[in-house]
PDB file of all heavy atoms in Angstrom:
ATOM      1  N   TYR A   1      12.794  94.878  -5.594  1.00  0.00           N
ATOM      2  CA  TYR A   1      13.584  95.794  -4.656  1.00  0.00           C
ATOM      3  C   TYR A   1      14.948  96.217  -5.237  1.00  0.00           C
ATOM      4  O   TYR A   1      15.503  95.572  -6.035  1.00  0.00           O
ATOM      5  CB  TYR A   1      13.771  95.062  -3.254  1.00  0.00           C
ATOM      6  CG  TYR A   1      12.406  94.724  -2.630  1.00  0.00           C
ATOM      7  CD1 TYR A   1      11.923  93.477  -2.914  1.00  0.00           C
ATOM      8  CD2 TYR A   1      11.750  95.656  -1.871  1.00  0.00           C
ATOM      9  CE1 TYR A   1      10.634  93.107  -2.387  1.00  0.00           C
ATOM     10  CE2 TYR A   1      10.534  95.224  -1.313  1.00  0.00           C
ATOM     11  CZ  TYR A   1       9.990  93.995  -1.588  1.00  0.00           C
ATOM     12  OH  TYR A   1       8.720  93.700  -1.110  1.00  0.00           O
ATOM     13  N   PRO A   2      15.459  97.380  -4.749  1.00  0.00           N
ATOM     14  CA  PRO A   2      16.793  97.784  -5.232  1.00  0.00           C
ATOM     15  C   PRO A   2      17.819  96.789  -4.855  1.00  0.00           C
ATOM     16  O   PRO A   2      17.745  96.079  -3.927  1.00  0.00           O
ATOM     17  CB  PRO A   2      17.023  99.125  -4.503  1.00  0.00           C
ATOM     18  CG  PRO A   2      15.689  99.537  -4.043  1.00  0.00           C
ATOM     19  CD  PRO A   2      14.827  98.342  -3.853  1.00  0.00           C
ATOM     20  N   PRO A   3      18.907  96.742  -5.703  1.00  0.00           N
ATOM     21  CA  PRO A   3      20.009  95.782  -5.464  1.00  0.00           C
ATOM     22  C   PRO A   3      20.622  95.822  -4.128  1.00  0.00           C
ATOM     23  O   PRO A   3      20.972  94.751  -3.611  1.00  0.00           O
ATOM     24  CB  PRO A   3      20.988  96.174  -6.604  1.00  0.00           C
ATOM     25  CG  PRO A   3      20.194  96.837  -7.630  1.00  0.00           C
ATOM     26  CD  PRO A   3      19.109  97.532  -7.022  1.00  0.00           C
ATOM     27  N   GLU A   4      20.721  97.006  -3.540  1.00  0.00           N
ATOM     28  CA  GLU A   4      21.425  97.098  -2.254  1.00  0.00           C
ATOM     29  C   GLU A   4      20.655  96.463  -1.066  1.00  0.00           C
ATOM     30  O   GLU A   4      21.265  96.157  -0.033  1.00  0.00           O
ATOM     31  CB  GLU A   4      21.655  98.584  -1.849  1.00  0.00           C
ATOM     32  CG  GLU A   4      20.495  99.465  -1.722  1.00  0.00           C
ATOM     33  CD  GLU A   4      19.990 100.139  -2.928  1.00  0.00           C
ATOM     34  OE1 GLU A   4      20.436  99.684  -4.050  1.00  0.00           O
ATOM     35  OE2 GLU A   4      19.210 101.119  -2.772  1.00  0.00           O
ATOM     36  N   ILE A   5      19.396  96.155  -1.231  1.00  0.00           N
ATOM     37  CA  ILE A   5      18.722  95.555  -0.138  1.00  0.00           C
ATOM     38  C   ILE A   5      18.226  94.002  -0.522  1.00  0.00           C
ATOM     39  O   ILE A   5      17.549  93.469   0.266  1.00  0.00           O
ATOM     40  CB  ILE A   5      17.489  96.329   0.326  1.00  0.00           C
ATOM     41  CG1 ILE A   5      16.393  96.512  -0.669  1.00  0.00           C
ATOM     42  CG2 ILE A   5      18.020  97.699   0.842  1.00  0.00           C
ATOM     43  CD1 ILE A   5      15.186  97.052  -0.179  1.00  0.00           C
ATOM     44  N   ARG A   6      18.484  93.639  -1.717  1.00  0.00           N
ATOM     45  CA  ARG A   6      18.042  92.336  -2.092  1.00  0.00           C
ATOM     46  C   ARG A   6      18.460  91.149  -1.272  1.00  0.00           C
ATOM     47  O   ARG A   6      17.843  90.285  -0.931  1.00  0.00           O
ATOM     48  CB  ARG A   6      18.339  92.044  -3.622  1.00  0.00           C
ATOM     49  CG  ARG A   6      17.537  92.940  -4.597  1.00  0.00           C
ATOM     50  CD  ARG A   6      17.920  92.638  -6.010  1.00  0.00           C
ATOM     51  NE  ARG A   6      17.171  93.509  -6.897  1.00  0.00           N
ATOM     52  CZ  ARG A   6      17.326  93.488  -8.222  1.00  0.00           C
ATOM     53  NH1 ARG A   6      18.254  92.762  -8.751  1.00  0.00           N
ATOM     54  NH2 ARG A   6      16.514  94.206  -8.907  1.00  0.00           N
ATOM     55  N   LYS A   7      19.772  91.305  -0.869  1.00  0.00           N
ATOM     56  CA  LYS A   7      20.423  90.205  -0.152  1.00  0.00           C
ATOM     57  C   LYS A   7      19.720  90.104   1.321  1.00  0.00           C
ATOM     58  O   LYS A   7      19.671  88.979   1.875  1.00  0.00           O
ATOM     59  CB  LYS A   7      21.902  90.504   0.059  1.00  0.00           C
ATOM     60  CG  LYS A   7      22.678  89.204   0.304  1.00  0.00           C
ATOM     61  CD  LYS A   7      24.210  89.423   0.225  1.00  0.00           C
ATOM     62  CE  LYS A   7      24.910  88.113   0.274  1.00  0.00           C
ATOM     63  NZ  LYS A   7      26.482  88.273   0.183  1.00  0.00           N
ATOM     64  N   VAL A   8      19.218  91.137   1.802  1.00  0.00           N
ATOM     65  CA  VAL A   8      18.377  91.119   3.077  1.00  0.00           C
ATOM     66  C   VAL A   8      17.225  90.265   2.950  1.00  0.00           C
ATOM     67  O   VAL A   8      16.804  89.557   3.825  1.00  0.00           O
ATOM     68  CB  VAL A   8      18.096  92.534   3.569  1.00  0.00           C
ATOM     69  CG1 VAL A   8      17.076  92.529   4.708  1.00  0.00           C
ATOM     70  CG2 VAL A   8      19.257  93.412   3.783  1.00  0.00           C
ATOM     71  N   ILE A   9      16.675  90.188   1.698  1.00  0.00           N
ATOM     72  CA  ILE A   9      15.406  89.530   1.428  1.00  0.00           C
ATOM     73  C   ILE A   9      15.630  88.075   1.005  1.00  0.00           C
ATOM     74  O   ILE A   9      14.790  87.231   1.381  1.00  0.00           O
ATOM     75  CB  ILE A   9      14.639  90.403   0.445  1.00  0.00           C
ATOM     76  CG1 ILE A   9      14.291  91.775   0.929  1.00  0.00           C
ATOM     77  CG2 ILE A   9      13.333  89.684  -0.038  1.00  0.00           C
ATOM     78  CD1 ILE A   9      13.817  92.824  -0.165  1.00  0.00           C
ATOM     79  N   TYR A  10      16.547  87.870   0.160  1.00  0.00           N
ATOM     80  CA  TYR A  10      16.593  86.540  -0.451  1.00  0.00           C
ATOM     81  C   TYR A  10      17.482  85.429   0.222  1.00  0.00           C
ATOM     82  O   TYR A  10      17.690  84.460  -0.247  1.00  0.00           O
ATOM     83  CB  TYR A  10      16.949  86.670  -1.921  1.00  0.00           C
ATOM     84  CG  TYR A  10      18.432  86.990  -2.289  1.00  0.00           C
ATOM     85  CD1 TYR A  10      19.405  86.156  -1.985  1.00  0.00           C
ATOM     86  CD2 TYR A  10      18.718  88.055  -3.149  1.00  0.00           C
ATOM     87  CE1 TYR A  10      20.760  86.346  -2.369  1.00  0.00           C
ATOM     88  CE2 TYR A  10      20.009  88.404  -3.415  1.00  0.00           C
ATOM     89  CZ  TYR A  10      21.041  87.556  -3.103  1.00  0.00           C
ATOM     90  OH  TYR A  10      22.327  87.806  -3.518  1.00  0.00           O
ATOM     91  N   THR A  11      18.100  85.827   1.368  1.00  0.00           N
ATOM     92  CA  THR A  11      18.852  84.770   2.038  1.00  0.00           C
ATOM     93  C   THR A  11      18.286  84.617   3.489  1.00  0.00           C
ATOM     94  O   THR A  11      17.952  85.625   4.125  1.00  0.00           O
ATOM     95  CB  THR A  11      20.367  85.068   2.112  1.00  0.00           C
ATOM     96  OG1 THR A  11      20.579  86.075   3.086  1.00  0.00           O
ATOM     97  CG2 THR A  11      20.843  85.533   0.759  1.00  0.00           C
ATOM     98  N   THR A  12      18.430  83.425   4.051  1.00  0.00           N
ATOM     99  CA  THR A  12      18.038  83.245   5.402  1.00  0.00           C
ATOM    100  C   THR A  12      19.336  83.212   6.270  1.00  0.00           C
ATOM    101  O   THR A  12      19.436  82.465   7.271  1.00  0.00           O
ATOM    102  CB  THR A  12      17.347  81.861   5.595  1.00  0.00           C
ATOM    103  OG1 THR A  12      18.181  80.837   5.061  1.00  0.00           O
ATOM    104  CG2 THR A  12      15.959  81.884   4.930  1.00  0.00           C
ATOM    105  N   ASN A  13      20.400  83.889   5.778  1.00  0.00           N
ATOM    106  CA  ASN A  13      21.646  83.980   6.641  1.00  0.00           C
ATOM    107  C   ASN A  13      21.457  84.382   8.093  1.00  0.00           C
ATOM    108  O   ASN A  13      22.093  83.920   8.915  1.00  0.00           O
ATOM    109  CB  ASN A  13      22.519  84.924   5.942  1.00  0.00           C
ATOM    110  CG  ASN A  13      23.164  84.441   4.676  1.00  0.00           C
ATOM    111  OD1 ASN A  13      23.082  83.231   4.363  1.00  0.00           O
ATOM    112  ND2 ASN A  13      23.936  85.217   3.946  1.00  0.00           N
ATOM    113  N   ALA A  14      20.462  85.317   8.255  1.00  0.00           N
ATOM    114  CA  ALA A  14      20.210  85.758   9.647  1.00  0.00           C
ATOM    115  C   ALA A  14      19.857  84.623  10.571  1.00  0.00           C
ATOM    116  O   ALA A  14      20.323  84.456  11.707  1.00  0.00           O
ATOM    117  CB  ALA A  14      19.085  86.850   9.630  1.00  0.00           C
ATOM    118  N   ILE A  15      19.118  83.728  10.018  1.00  0.00           N
ATOM    119  CA  ILE A  15      18.640  82.514  10.895  1.00  0.00           C
ATOM    120  C   ILE A  15      19.635  81.334  10.812  1.00  0.00           C
ATOM    121  O   ILE A  15      19.762  80.538  11.678  1.00  0.00           O
ATOM    122  CB  ILE A  15      17.241  82.094  10.550  1.00  0.00           C
ATOM    123  CG1 ILE A  15      16.591  81.336  11.656  1.00  0.00           C
ATOM    124  CG2 ILE A  15      17.229  81.253   9.270  1.00  0.00           C
ATOM    125  CD1 ILE A  15      15.119  81.138  11.561  1.00  0.00           C
ATOM    126  N   GLU A  16      20.475  81.358   9.731  1.00  0.00           N
ATOM    127  CA  GLU A  16      21.484  80.246   9.548  1.00  0.00           C
ATOM    128  C   GLU A  16      22.558  80.439  10.690  1.00  0.00           C
ATOM    129  O   GLU A  16      22.947  79.345  11.128  1.00  0.00           O
ATOM    130  CB  GLU A  16      22.126  80.426   8.121  1.00  0.00           C
ATOM    131  CG  GLU A  16      21.329  79.874   7.053  1.00  0.00           C
ATOM    132  CD  GLU A  16      21.524  78.262   6.913  1.00  0.00           C
ATOM    133  OE1 GLU A  16      22.685  77.872   6.802  1.00  0.00           O
ATOM    134  OE2 GLU A  16      20.595  77.632   6.938  1.00  0.00           O
ATOM    135  N   SER A  17      22.913  81.645  10.980  1.00  0.00           N
ATOM    136  CA  SER A  17      23.844  81.786  12.086  1.00  0.00           C
ATOM    137  C   SER A  17      23.330  81.336  13.430  1.00  0.00           C
ATOM    138  O   SER A  17      24.019  80.800  14.271  1.00  0.00           O
ATOM    139  CB  SER A  17      24.295  83.308  12.276  1.00  0.00           C
ATOM    140  OG  SER A  17      23.133  84.106  12.483  1.00  0.00           O
ATOM    141  N   VAL A  18      21.978  81.473  13.604  1.00  0.00           N
ATOM    142  CA  VAL A  18      21.328  80.978  14.787  1.00  0.00           C
ATOM    143  C   VAL A  18      21.418  79.456  14.826  1.00  0.00           C
ATOM    144  O   VAL A  18      21.785  78.868  15.846  1.00  0.00           O
ATOM    145  CB  VAL A  18      19.830  81.343  14.911  1.00  0.00           C
ATOM    146  CG1 VAL A  18      19.131  80.765  16.044  1.00  0.00           C
ATOM    147  CG2 VAL A  18      19.722  82.906  15.029  1.00  0.00           C
ATOM    148  N   ASN A  19      21.113  78.867  13.706  1.00  0.00           N
ATOM    149  CA  ASN A  19      21.285  77.412  13.592  1.00  0.00           C
ATOM    150  C   ASN A  19      22.685  76.869  13.896  1.00  0.00           C
ATOM    151  O   ASN A  19      22.879  75.840  14.439  1.00  0.00           O
ATOM    152  CB  ASN A  19      20.796  76.925  12.182  1.00  0.00           C
ATOM    153  CG  ASN A  19      19.298  76.978  11.999  1.00  0.00           C
ATOM    154  OD1 ASN A  19      18.635  77.223  12.949  1.00  0.00           O
ATOM    155  ND2 ASN A  19      18.874  76.924  10.779  1.00  0.00           N
ATOM    156  N   MET A  20      23.617  77.624  13.429  1.00  0.00           N
ATOM    157  CA  MET A  20      24.987  77.303  13.726  1.00  0.00           C
ATOM    158  C   MET A  20      25.329  77.234  15.183  1.00  0.00           C
ATOM    159  O   MET A  20      26.012  76.339  15.632  1.00  0.00           O
ATOM    160  CB  MET A  20      25.996  78.222  12.973  1.00  0.00           C
ATOM    161  CG  MET A  20      27.434  77.814  12.866  1.00  0.00           C
ATOM    162  SD  MET A  20      28.437  79.059  12.033  1.00  0.00           S
ATOM    163  CE  MET A  20      27.534  79.114  10.469  1.00  0.00           C
ATOM    164  N   GLY A  21      24.809  78.248  15.881  1.00  0.00           N
ATOM    165  CA  GLY A  21      24.993  78.255  17.282  1.00  0.00           C
ATOM    166  C   GLY A  21      24.329  77.106  17.968  1.00  0.00           C
ATOM    167  O   GLY A  21      24.909  76.588  18.950  1.00  0.00           O
ATOM    168  N   LEU A  22      23.142  76.719  17.504  1.00  0.00           N
ATOM    169  CA  LEU A  22      22.441  75.579  18.093  1.00  0.00           C
ATOM    170  C   LEU A  22      23.209  74.311  17.838  1.00  0.00           C
ATOM    171  O   LEU A  22      23.229  73.377  18.777  1.00  0.00           O
ATOM    172  CB  LEU A  22      21.019  75.486  17.667  1.00  0.00           C
ATOM    173  CG  LEU A  22      20.096  76.668  17.958  1.00  0.00           C
ATOM    174  CD1 LEU A  22      18.743  76.486  17.327  1.00  0.00           C
ATOM    175  CD2 LEU A  22      20.024  76.747  19.493  1.00  0.00           C
ATOM    176  N   ARG A  23      23.732  74.173  16.718  1.00  0.00           N
ATOM    177  CA  ARG A  23      24.504  72.906  16.361  1.00  0.00           C
ATOM    178  C   ARG A  23      25.772  72.828  17.258  1.00  0.00           C
ATOM    179  O   ARG A  23      26.185  71.742  17.621  1.00  0.00           O
ATOM    180  CB  ARG A  23      24.876  72.886  14.856  1.00  0.00           C
ATOM    181  CG  ARG A  23      23.794  72.710  13.937  1.00  0.00           C
ATOM    182  CD  ARG A  23      24.242  72.464  12.477  1.00  0.00           C
ATOM    183  NE  ARG A  23      23.169  72.424  11.546  1.00  0.00           N
ATOM    184  CZ  ARG A  23      22.735  73.424  10.799  1.00  0.00           C
ATOM    185  NH1 ARG A  23      23.308  74.573  10.958  1.00  0.00           N
ATOM    186  NH2 ARG A  23      21.719  73.312  10.020  1.00  0.00           N
ATOM    187  N   LYS A  24      26.305  73.894  17.593  1.00  0.00           N
ATOM    188  CA  LYS A  24      27.493  74.030  18.259  1.00  0.00           C
ATOM    189  C   LYS A  24      27.259  73.542  19.702  1.00  0.00           C
ATOM    190  O   LYS A  24      28.073  72.726  20.317  1.00  0.00           O
ATOM    191  CB  LYS A  24      28.040  75.460  18.386  1.00  0.00           C
ATOM    192  CG  LYS A  24      29.393  75.605  19.104  1.00  0.00           C
ATOM    193  CD  LYS A  24      29.882  77.070  19.078  1.00  0.00           C
ATOM    194  CE  LYS A  24      31.176  77.119  19.708  1.00  0.00           C
ATOM    195  NZ  LYS A  24      31.701  78.624  19.736  1.00  0.00           N
ATOM    196  N   VAL A  25      26.113  73.965  20.417  1.00  0.00           N
ATOM    197  CA  VAL A  25      25.818  73.513  21.732  1.00  0.00           C
ATOM    198  C   VAL A  25      25.357  72.083  21.785  1.00  0.00           C
ATOM    199  O   VAL A  25      25.371  71.468  22.875  1.00  0.00           O
ATOM    200  CB  VAL A  25      24.888  74.407  22.390  1.00  0.00           C
ATOM    201  CG1 VAL A  25      25.402  75.903  22.552  1.00  0.00           C
ATOM    202  CG2 VAL A  25      23.408  74.462  21.729  1.00  0.00           C
ATOM    203  N   SER A  26      24.851  71.591  20.713  1.00  0.00           N
ATOM    204  CA  SER A  26      24.309  70.180  20.771  1.00  0.00           C
ATOM    205  C   SER A  26      25.169  69.119  20.066  1.00  0.00           C
ATOM    206  O   SER A  26      24.828  67.966  20.034  1.00  0.00           O
ATOM    207  CB  SER A  26      22.932  70.140  20.140  1.00  0.00           C
ATOM    208  OG  SER A  26      23.005  70.562  18.815  1.00  0.00           O
ATOM    209  N   LYS A  27      26.449  69.492  19.612  1.00  0.00           N
ATOM    210  CA  LYS A  27      27.221  68.539  18.853  1.00  0.00           C
ATOM    211  C   LYS A  27      27.697  67.440  19.671  1.00  0.00           C
ATOM    212  O   LYS A  27      27.986  66.338  19.169  1.00  0.00           O
ATOM    213  CB  LYS A  27      28.325  69.276  18.265  1.00  0.00           C
ATOM    214  CG  LYS A  27      29.427  69.920  19.217  1.00  0.00           C
ATOM    215  CD  LYS A  27      30.517  70.698  18.564  1.00  0.00           C
ATOM    216  CE  LYS A  27      31.454  71.189  19.533  1.00  0.00           C
ATOM    217  NZ  LYS A  27      32.609  71.923  18.857  1.00  0.00           N
ATOM    218  N   ASN A  28      27.883  67.548  20.941  1.00  0.00           N
ATOM    219  CA  ASN A  28      28.379  66.487  21.858  1.00  0.00           C
ATOM    220  C   ASN A  28      27.280  65.540  22.358  1.00  0.00           C
ATOM    221  O   ASN A  28      27.562  64.559  23.059  1.00  0.00           O
ATOM    222  CB  ASN A  28      29.038  67.033  23.034  1.00  0.00           C
ATOM    223  CG  ASN A  28      30.314  67.782  22.672  1.00  0.00           C
ATOM    224  OD1 ASN A  28      31.029  67.498  21.708  1.00  0.00           O
ATOM    225  ND2 ASN A  28      30.683  68.916  23.409  1.00  0.00           N
ATOM    226  N   ARG A  29      26.063  65.711  21.902  1.00  0.00           N
ATOM    227  CA  ARG A  29      24.923  64.880  22.412  1.00  0.00           C
ATOM    228  C   ARG A  29      24.605  63.907  21.252  1.00  0.00           C
ATOM    229  O   ARG A  29      24.226  64.388  20.169  1.00  0.00           O
ATOM    230  CB  ARG A  29      23.727  65.774  22.772  1.00  0.00           C
ATOM    231  CG  ARG A  29      23.996  66.653  23.979  1.00  0.00           C
ATOM    232  CD  ARG A  29      22.816  67.472  24.200  1.00  0.00           C
ATOM    233  NE  ARG A  29      22.967  68.474  25.244  1.00  0.00           N
ATOM    234  CZ  ARG A  29      22.584  68.265  26.512  1.00  0.00           C
ATOM    235  NH1 ARG A  29      21.702  67.212  26.720  1.00  0.00           N
ATOM    236  NH2 ARG A  29      22.721  69.098  27.517  1.00  0.00           N
ATOM    237  N   GLY A  30      24.458  62.689  21.641  1.00  0.00           N
ATOM    238  CA  GLY A  30      24.040  61.721  20.597  1.00  0.00           C
ATOM    239  C   GLY A  30      22.605  61.836  20.279  1.00  0.00           C
ATOM    240  O   GLY A  30      22.153  61.831  19.184  1.00  0.00           O
ATOM    241  N   SER A  31      21.722  62.016  21.435  1.00  0.00           N
ATOM    242  CA  SER A  31      20.374  62.255  21.310  1.00  0.00           C
ATOM    243  C   SER A  31      19.869  62.905  22.529  1.00  0.00           C
ATOM    244  O   SER A  31      20.500  62.955  23.540  1.00  0.00           O
ATOM    245  CB  SER A  31      19.662  60.939  21.043  1.00  0.00           C
ATOM    246  OG  SER A  31      19.827  60.109  22.100  1.00  0.00           O
ATOM    247  N   PHE A  32      18.656  63.433  22.438  1.00  0.00           N
ATOM    248  CA  PHE A  32      18.019  64.091  23.612  1.00  0.00           C
ATOM    249  C   PHE A  32      17.047  63.093  24.197  1.00  0.00           C
ATOM    250  O   PHE A  32      16.367  62.376  23.496  1.00  0.00           O
ATOM    251  CB  PHE A  32      17.303  65.409  23.178  1.00  0.00           C
ATOM    252  CG  PHE A  32      18.250  66.554  22.847  1.00  0.00           C
ATOM    253  CD1 PHE A  32      18.706  66.677  21.539  1.00  0.00           C
ATOM    254  CD2 PHE A  32      18.703  67.474  23.821  1.00  0.00           C
ATOM    255  CE1 PHE A  32      19.516  67.729  21.155  1.00  0.00           C
ATOM    256  CE2 PHE A  32      19.476  68.451  23.442  1.00  0.00           C
ATOM    257  CZ  PHE A  32      19.894  68.647  22.169  1.00  0.00           C
ATOM    258  N   PRO A  33      16.925  63.059  25.536  1.00  0.00           N
ATOM    259  CA  PRO A  33      15.987  62.132  26.152  1.00  0.00           C
ATOM    260  C   PRO A  33      14.494  62.390  25.883  1.00  0.00           C
ATOM    261  O   PRO A  33      13.604  61.482  26.069  1.00  0.00           O
ATOM    262  CB  PRO A  33      16.283  62.260  27.702  1.00  0.00           C
ATOM    263  CG  PRO A  33      16.985  63.504  27.834  1.00  0.00           C
ATOM    264  CD  PRO A  33      17.638  63.824  26.572  1.00  0.00           C
ATOM    265  N   SER A  34      14.153  63.696  25.601  1.00  0.00           N
ATOM    266  CA  SER A  34      12.812  64.046  25.342  1.00  0.00           C
ATOM    267  C   SER A  34      12.733  65.367  24.548  1.00  0.00           C
ATOM    268  O   SER A  34      13.769  66.044  24.382  1.00  0.00           O
ATOM    269  CB  SER A  34      12.031  64.236  26.680  1.00  0.00           C
ATOM    270  OG  SER A  34      12.659  65.313  27.426  1.00  0.00           O
ATOM    271  N   ASP A  35      11.517  65.626  24.108  1.00  0.00           N
ATOM    272  CA  ASP A  35      11.327  66.910  23.420  1.00  0.00           C
ATOM    273  C   ASP A  35      11.580  68.051  24.381  1.00  0.00           C
ATOM    274  O   ASP A  35      12.092  69.153  24.041  1.00  0.00           O
ATOM    275  CB  ASP A  35       9.882  67.071  22.912  1.00  0.00           C
ATOM    276  CG  ASP A  35       9.582  66.175  21.690  1.00  0.00           C
ATOM    277  OD1 ASP A  35      10.512  65.582  21.191  1.00  0.00           O
ATOM    278  OD2 ASP A  35       8.471  66.149  21.283  1.00  0.00           O
TER     279      ASP A  35
END
């Protein structure tokens, strides 16, 4: 693919930001009682 769109393809940054949000809301929990 052309250089200008390669970054869209080769990084999971889009989902990494989602993971960051999930870590933020769960950081105060030692563990969850169930799935």
